[in-house]
Amino acid sequence: MLIRELRQKAEPSPRQRAGVAAVTYHPNYSQRNELIMSFLKQKRSVDDIWPMYNKAVLVRVDFNVRVRNGVIAKSKGDQRIRAAIPTIRKIIDGGGKAILMSHMGRPTGHKFSALRTCNEKKRRYLQIWRDEAGAGCTTFFSLCSGEDKKKILSWSSVSETANAVMETEGAGKTDLFAALSIEEKKSLLNRFQASDDRYCNFVFPHLRTYNGFDDELTLRPVAIRLSELLNESGLSPRVDVKFSEDCLDADEMVASLEPGQVLLLENVRFYSDENSRKKSERRIMAQQIASYGDYFVSDAFGTCHRINSATMVDVPSVLGHGGTGYLLQNEILAYAKLLGGTAPRPIVAIVGGTKVSDKLLLLEHILNQIDSLIIGGAIAFTFLKAAEYSIGNSFHEAGQSFGDRYCEEMNIDDLARRFLLKGRACNVEILLPMDHVCHTSCEATDALVTTKDAHVPDGYMALDIGPRTIAAYQKCISKCRTAVWNGPMGVYEIPTYSTGSFSIAKALGDATQTRGLLSIIAGGASSDAAMSCGHASRVSHVSSGGAATLDLLEGKVLPGIEVLDDKVI
């Protein structure tokens, strides 16, 4: 039974019953493709907003960037911020007020529905967040036992008060600790660490995790970098970028905005309502944010696959309308061309990455649309193992089963074999690595071993594709007129093993520039690899989506696009 057939007969999964992005799978490629194209229509965009002057435009962006010690790297690190600049510029140059919202990371979050009825509790959370600057001392204290809490407080300046507090939960010990200065908190926890054998050999594991308002996940550094980018030309007037430390208590800041100004709301995931599975909770949050704006624009392709998102799906639903920014508009146009049946043939798909189980639906869906399939990265070893090649210590999923995912017990080895057979039946040329660059461990070395064939020696792991494989893959790309790449060919983050991925990026760039190859790098690590080697700018399109791209290529509807208004032509 093929994957698609199995999906048709399967009962709803626990994930679907819980309300997570229910997906409809159609019995044939034609119907699935019609479903995709039904929402990949041209959408209303920021260009269609009128009047713009003095109007507040809510813009959902993807500013989920890496921040280290409060600083964003100014090369690749701020790429997502740079990508949103054209949309923001369109709004403020037209005299509009841009109100930006984004998530960052995965903080635990607080419930807005609870905090909005208790201003004192909300004030206390915010005050602790400011005072502790992300150290998370109070969080660690709250996770201690009642006995340990009493011990810590006995050394504090509130020891007399603490002596009268019970050890039982809810007696008020954490409130006492929270009221101390940050210096005293750190001193007490350092003393506790030194006095307790459980913690004497390592730093507290929880000290960088704060429940809800997490300093390492604040968007404040993003506001600073955004201001720098908007004003780097030096042209007047200067763009004023304001920052609201609470995304659900920004009414006064919104009311004070002048035409041409920008307001960035704090991390929307500081409230658990943003991703709540309960529509009622998401709706309450969406109604509050929707009250800030006149229009809604989505420019966050990377989160379009999330159906449980107040800011992606529920805000435009509350407002009754929504359009795209320029980034999302370009994504829709690129994938509509790729998946709409008009892409020039032959078509090659280049698929890499770590787990076959993460890519099976993608592989299954695209098999009917392509002429050649190049497989690299760690997923290749599951296929090589299924084809009875020795793979040494290379990462693979052989022998594992995925009963919960496929609704009945299915072995990954059998799935790999069936897929290869189906590829041949569909007349798709499937290319697997024919040589490898190997080492005994996943680390940089000068003692590389390049195999003569597809077998990996015992005691070694393959960490990149070899020169013969690179040549074969480049030759395949040279014969095609359309190429889509998702997933690296090896551990490209380590320069020793970057040649395979960088060679693919170069081949795509060269073919695009010299003979007009339609080339799409489909987000995630493959996009990062292409940017790292300088070839991203030479291809037709580099997607900003990781999981969203994967869902789209698997034939799923993206709720964050479906909710937006179609353009009336």
Side-chain angles (χ1 to χ4, degrees):
M1 185 179 293
L2 297 178
I3 298 170
R4 184 174 62 228
E5 296 165 347
L6 182 64
R7 282 283 191 171
Q8 287 177 261
K9 297 182 179 181
E11 293 296 321
S13 68
R15 184 174 170 82
Q16 290 171 323
R17 287 195 294 270
V20 179
V23 178
T24 303
Y25 291 86
H26 289 256
N28 58 59
Y29 159 72
S30 176
Q31 288 180 325
R32 282 188 294 179
N33 219 43
E34 287 176 10
L35 177 67
I36 295 171
M37 296 312 299
S38 69
F39 79 93
L40 282 183
K41 295 177 181 177
Q42 190 174 358
K43 300 289 182 178
R44 290 181 60 194
S45 76
V46 66
D47 287 330
D48 298 309
I49 294 178
W50 191 91
M52 179 74 80
Y53 185 78
N54 205 30
K55 295 295 184 179
V57 184
L58 293 165
V59 187
R60 181 49 160 98
V61 290
D62 185 0
F63 286 166
N64 187 24
V65 298
R66 293 180 182 178
V67 179
R68 292 292 179 269
N69 299 319
V71 178
I72 300 169
K74 294 186 179 181
S75 54
K76 288 190 304 178
D78 64 1
Q79 184 58 41
R80 293 186 179 186
I81 305 173
R82 290 178 179 274
I85 295 292
T87 297
I88 298 170
R89 268 289 173 197
K90 173 65 178 179
I91 295 167
I92 60 178
D93 288 349
K97 299 176 259 188
I99 302 171
L100 314 179
M101 47 189 168
S102 177
H103 73 283
M104 182 186 284
R106 298 172 183 248
T108 304
H110 293 294
K111 281 191 178 182
F112 175 57
S113 54
L115 291 185
R116 69 175 180 155
T117 60
C118 184
N119 288 330
E120 176 56 29
K121 187 175 183 181
K122 184 175 180 180
R123 183 202 63 76
R124 185 168 57 122
Y125 281 135
L126 282 168
Q127 191 61 48
I128 293 172
W129 172 65
R130 293 190 197 100
D131 292 345
E132 297 190 2
C137 298
T138 303
T139 295
F140 179 82
F141 182 87
S142 70
L143 297 172
C144 292
S145 67
E147 181 182 357
D148 286 340
K149 289 178 181 177
K150 290 275 288 185
K151 179 179 180 180
I152 294 169
L153 289 173
S154 70
W155 304 325
S156 73
S157 58
V158 293
S159 58
E160 291 186 8
T161 305
N163 285 336
V165 177
M166 302 286 289
E167 284 188 9
T168 54
E169 185 177 352
K173 296 179 290 297
T174 300
D175 286 342
L176 285 175
F177 185 84
L180 301 176
S181 68
I182 184 61
E183 291 77 15
E184 185 173 6
K185 290 175 184 174
K186 288 181 178 179
S187 175
L188 289 171
L189 291 184
N190 284 335
R191 180 176 175 181
F192 178 61
Q193 179 176 1
S195 68
D196 196 304
D197 292 339
R198 291 173 294 171
Y199 305 110
C200 63
N201 293 322
F202 59 91
V203 178
F204 290 128
H206 304 293
L207 286 184
R208 296 307 295 176
T209 303
Y210 190 74
N211 182 28
F213 298 96
D214 185 331
D215 194 66
E216 287 198 342
L217 299 180
T218 178
L219 289 173
R220 189 181 294 276
V222 175
I224 295 171
R225 184 60 184 143
L226 177 62
S227 179
E228 293 172 350
L229 292 171
L230 286 171
N231 293 292
E232 65 181 356
S233 65
L235 300 176
S236 58
R238 179 176 175 81
V239 179
D240 189 7
V241 179
K242 300 178 181 292
F243 178 72
S244 171
E245 67 181 20
D246 187 343
C247 66
L248 296 183
D249 189 17
D251 301 83
E252 292 183 5
M253 296 194 75
V254 169
S256 69
L257 284 177
E258 299 289 338
Q261 291 186 333
V262 177
L263 172 64
L264 176 60
L265 303 179
E266 181 57 287
N267 191 343
V268 294
R269 287 188 182 171
F270 280 174
Y271 287 97
S272 59
D273 310 70
E274 160 63 10
N275 289 330
S276 174
R277 293 182 178 180
K278 294 182 179 178
K279 186 174 182 179
S280 59
E281 293 180 351
R282 298 196 313 272
R283 194 79 173 180
I284 291 172
M285 181 173 181
Q287 288 170 338
Q288 174 62 20
I289 290 180
S291 70
Y292 300 154
D294 300 298
Y295 305 115
F296 175 83
V297 167
S298 178
D299 220 17
F301 178 67
T303 51
C304 278
H305 61 300
R306 297 189 178 278
I307 192 170
N308 294 333
S309 171
T311 54
M312 287 296 303
V313 178
D314 294 283
V315 168
S317 177
V318 169
L319 286 171
H321 68 265
T324 69
Y326 294 129
L327 182 149
L328 182 55
Q329 184 182 56
N330 289 336
E331 297 277 7
I332 292 173
L333 290 173
Y335 284 110
K337 189 171 184 179
L338 175 68
L339 303 173
T342 60
R345 303 188 80 107
I347 301 174
V348 60
I350 306 156
V351 181
T354 305
K355 293 184 177 181
V356 173
S357 55
D358 291 340
K359 301 289 176 81
L360 273 172
L361 287 176
L362 180 155
L363 294 169
E364 171 72 15
H365 181 67
I366 65 174
L367 205 56
N368 294 293
Q369 309 172 55
I370 61 177
D371 302 286
S372 299
L373 174 63
I374 289 173
I375 298 178
I379 69 170
F381 301 112
T382 299
F383 290 104
L384 289 172
K385 184 74 172 179
E388 299 184 352
Y389 286 94
S390 57
I391 61 170
N393 294 337
S394 304
F395 177 85
H396 67 291
E397 296 174 281
Q400 298 186 38
S401 58
F402 297 87
D404 58 341
R405 180 161 182 159
Y406 295 101
C407 308
E408 67 179 60
E409 205 69 19
M410 297 190 73
N411 189 283
I412 196 71
D413 307 84
D414 294 333
L415 286 170
R417 292 188 191 96
R418 293 177 189 181
F419 178 81
L420 293 174
L421 289 172
K422 185 182 178 185
R424 296 189 188 100
C426 292
N427 293 318
V428 173
E429 178 188 27
I430 298 179
L431 284 75
L432 290 168
M434 56 186 69
D435 62 345
H436 314 278
V437 175
C438 306
H439 188 47
T440 54
S441 59
C442 186
E443 58 186 10
T445 180
D446 293 328
L448 293 173
V449 170
T450 301
T451 64
K452 296 180 179 180
D453 53 31
H455 293 282
V456 179
D458 291 342
Y460 284 83
M461 58 178 65
L463 300 167
D464 195 12
I465 55 176
R468 291 176 57 223
T469 303
I470 291 173
Y473 289 3
Q474 289 174 330
K475 182 178 180 180
C476 178
I477 293 170
S478 71
K479 297 186 295 183
C480 294
R481 298 177 63 198
T482 298
V484 57
W485 178 24
N486 180 270
M489 299 291 100
V491 189
Y492 73 95
E493 299 91 340
I494 301 175
T496 311
Y497 313 112
S498 63
T499 304
S501 298
F502 289 1
S503 296
I504 294 296
K506 183 179 185 302
L508 294 176
D510 289 347
T512 304
Q513 296 299 313
T514 59
R515 55 184 182 83
L517 175 76
L518 173 60
S519 52
I520 295 177
I521 301 181
S526 44
S527 295
D528 184 64
M531 285 188 281
S532 296
C533 62
H535 292 289
S537 61
R538 303 176 67 234
V539 301
S540 305
H541 180 71
V542 178
S543 179
S544 59
T549 297
L550 202 60
D551 278 8
L552 188 58
L553 294 177
E554 288 174 0
K556 300 176 184 178
V557 169
L558 303 187
I561 294 178
E562 188 180 33
V563 74
L564 303 177
D565 299 331
D566 293 338
K567 188 176 181 67
V568 179
I569 302 175

